[in-house]
Each structure stands twice: as structure tokens, then as C-alpha cells.
Amino acid sequence: MGSFSPGLDPEREVRIGELAASLDLPIKTLRRLADSGEIPSRRTDGGHRVFDFAEVRAALKLDLTAPGIVPGRPPEWIDVSELENLDEAEVWARAVQSLRIDRATEGARIAGYGFTEILNNAIDHSNGTRAISQVWLDDREIAFRVTDDGEGVFAHLRAGLRLENTLEAAAELTKGKRTTWSERHTGEGIFFTSKAVNEFRVSANGLRLTVDNPRDDTALGVSAVTSGSVVEATIVLPPPHTLRSVFERFADEDQKFTRSRPVVKLFGSGLTFVSRSEARRLMEGMDAFEDIDLDFAGVDDVGQGFIDEIVRVWPSQHPGVRIAPINMNDAVAFMIRRASRPD
């Protein structure tokens, strides 16, 4: 579809042709959005349809200063595209050309991988009609935001995996290999993107999942985003690692994705885990891996049933999988040692 410069801001009503030229979008796209009421317009006495540019930008959610992990200034590049038949690689190529990004740099490799994976998820999974892509670039970082008008990533994952609620869906994203379309997707895109970038955030369905890699922290909070999905990422320049090294952290000698690191604190309603049902939710789908690091950072306490399910029951049912608890406090470590003792 099209991209445009955020500096262009007409302060008067314009006809559809001028609006299309200003936004670099097809007239047919704007006409469809206006007919469906997704963007505001009015008819003149002569019957011509006119638009207020600021109102259209607001309706398209082109909020250039919306709070997030991306820079607070307007982006250097914006694209608005219909999702049907969209090629995510072509969209990224337009950004690269417009911003003169050097594809050979490691920062560009990480940004390109993450951007195309996230936009592809919007194309294949969001059940939406359009996406808005924004890119920030300076000497210190590359950042991007992809916004779609679909059902929301957490709601989509909840329905596809038949989970009880969207909180469970948000936690599932920390596992990897969790997808609602296994015929075409491995479920690796969001997982590896979240590990490769500096900071990563998914906001949808009233929830916000943030991965802060410098702090080695993953957090779940409340978001004002209740319709569609907003995915953001920042990449420091130069990045502290290569994209290949990120893949290797979770791969075996044959470069197969065999390792996972689910964040335990996201799989319950508090910071104490006592029930076997909580343990079973945590371990759901984990038989797809050979090595599992269970990250107990932020977990205050665990119960005997929860730990017994993880240390004894689940491993007995999946003897080929290695489980290694990490980042435990003294109380959690004590319970795991107790449950691991031979009878």
C-alpha cells in the first residue's frame, strides 16, 4: 500500500484524491474505510466527500507520540497497508529504502527479522484488515511498532489453544512453539524476536507483555489497548549480540529449536504456586522441547503439589526432556531439593 512522512499535516478539509496523495494510500482503500465508517468524512452541499486530515490520522491510530518502549518523537517512517495479500518483506524493503538502512549491519538483520515476523503474524493470525507500521532510526537504535485492527493476539491465542483466559495466553508466548496454525507456522517468530531485541512489548486485549532483555525480566501488566494488537521493539546500535547467537542459545547442534525458558511467574494469579493444575498449565506443550529452563525469578513460594508435578510426575511421563529450574530464591530451591530426593 503506502508510506508517508509524518511531517505532512494539512490543516484543512481535503477531497479523497488529495488525502490519498498525502497518505500515499490507494483511493479505493480510503473509500472502503470511509464507507465502513472506519475513517470520518462528510459530504459537501455538492455531494463531494471531504476529509479532515487530523481526524483521519486519529481514526487510523496514527498517534505519533503514543507511550510505549519506542522513542517519544514522531517516527522516521510510517506505512499503512491492507493485510490481504500483503508481503511483509516488501513492506520492510520500503522502510529500508526510504531510511537508507544498511542491511549488512547486525542491527538491521535483527530489526528486519523481528519486523517481518511480527507483520507476518498480523497478516496470518490477526483476522484484521490493515496494519500500521512505524520505524524509528538514529545513530543509537532502531525501533519499530506494528499495529493491526484484528481481534488481539492474546484473544486469538486463547481461542486457538483453548485456554481459560487471556492471561494464560500471554504466558504461553514465553514458551515458544505455541501456534494456532501449525501447518504454516512454528510459533517461533514472536519468541525469537523477543529474545533478539533490546526491549519487546505486546499490547492487546487489555494486557501488556514486556520483555526487557538487559534486565533479564519479563512482566505482565494492564494495557489501554483493547482492540487489535500493538507490538513494539527496540534494538540498540550496535547490538550486544548477533541474531545467530540468539538462535544458538535455544538450538541443538543441528540448529533445531529444542530449548525453552518459560517464565513461571506468568502462569498463576500471584507469586505463590501451590496447585498441580498450575504446574500442568505451565508444562502444557513443553514436550516439544528437549531442554527446559524453568525461570523462577519473581516467584516467592511454591507448594509440594506444584513442585511434585514438575520434578517427578511430568518428567516421568516425558523421560527424554531435561528440566532445569533457574533463578530460584531459597524457599523455592528448598522445595525443589526436597521433591528431588530419592524415596
Side-chain angles (χ1 to χ4, degrees), residues 175-186:
K175 293 180 178 179
K177 291 191 179 183
R178 301 296 274 164
T179 177
T180 59
W181 196 1
S182 58
E183 294 83 1
R184 287 190 56 180
H185 285 265
T186 62

Side-chain angles (χ1 to χ4, degrees), residues 250-286:
F250 299 94
D252 60 14
E253 294 179 355
D254 297 323
Q255 299 305 305
K256 294 180 180 178
F257 182 22
T258 59
R259 299 170 186 160
S260 181
R261 186 182 171 182
V263 180
V264 177
K265 69 180 180 181
L266 302 182
F267 288 85
S269 57
L271 298 181
T272 298
F273 293 78
V274 297
S275 72
R276 292 183 182 272
S277 61
E278 288 175 318
R280 287 191 286 268
R281 282 200 301 272
L282 169 63
M283 301 308 295
E284 178 68 27
M286 297 307 295

Side-chain angles (χ1 to χ4, degrees), residues 112-127:
Y113 171 80
F115 179 91
T116 54
E117 286 289 343
I118 297 307
L119 184 53
N120 179 260
N121 275 332
I123 295 169
D124 286 349
H125 294 301
S126 72
N127 294 321

Side-chain angles (χ1 to χ4, degrees), residues 198-257:
N198 198 58
E199 289 185 89
F200 178 81
R201 176 172 291 175
V202 183
S203 302
N205 309 113
L207 297 176
R208 180 184 68 234
L209 178 69
T210 303
V211 179
D212 187 330
N213 286 308
R215 292 187 173 91
D216 194 21
D217 184 47
T218 301
L220 188 61
V222 176
S223 170
V225 178
T226 56
S227 62
S229 299
V230 179
V231 182
E232 302 169 307
T234 65
I235 302 99
V236 296
L237 300 177
H241 51 245
T242 65
L243 184 59
R244 179 176 178 176
S245 69
V246 173
F247 288 131
E248 289 176 343
R249 283 171 51 200
F250 299 94
D252 60 14
E253 294 179 355
D254 297 323
Q255 299 305 305
K256 294 180 180 178
F257 182 22

